[in-house]
Amino acid sequence: MPVLSEKACSMKELLRTTDIVLLSYVNSLLGDAGFPVLIADVHVSSIEGSIGAFPRRVLVAAEDWEECAELLTDADLGDQISGRTASSGISQS
């Protein structure tokens, strides 16, 4: 799996989900494409008893966000991307 460089970088949320299968698939898809990924809020969901009440977030380097979003769109997951409307695919940021 790719590793973030030692220098600090800005991270941006790519998606948020309680679906652990989707989370695993997206993590694999992005990792295989060479993009470093940070899965946030894993420990919160462990503390709440794994009932799926708290979504986990997939974060990527801000400079990779567009390419990662395109990769998810190509994998027919464009409706899962944070900051986009399902109908238009237009960024809301």
Side-chain angles (χ1 to χ4, degrees), residues 33-47:
F35 294 106
V37 176
L38 173 67
I39 307 299
D41 306 321
V42 173
H43 298 294
V44 171
S45 60
S46 297
I47 291 171

Side-chain angles (χ1 to χ4, degrees), residues 9-70:
C9 72
S10 177
M11 303 294 285
K12 187 171 176 182
E13 181 178 314
L14 185 62
L15 72 89
R16 181 183 299 231
T17 185
T18 57
D19 184 342
I20 59 171
V21 175
L22 174 63
L23 189 69
S24 178
Y25 177 61
V26 168
N27 191 30
S28 241
L29 190 66
L30 295 173
D32 289 348
F35 294 106
V37 176
L38 173 67
I39 307 299
D41 306 321
V42 173
H43 298 294
V44 171
S45 60
S46 297
I47 291 171
E48 51 89 17
S50 298
I51 60 172
F54 295 96
R56 297 175 189 180
R57 295 173 294 144
V58 176
L59 304 175
V60 296
E63 66 228 20
D64 295 335
W65 193 91
E66 287 294 332
E67 289 179 84
C68 291
E70 185 176 329

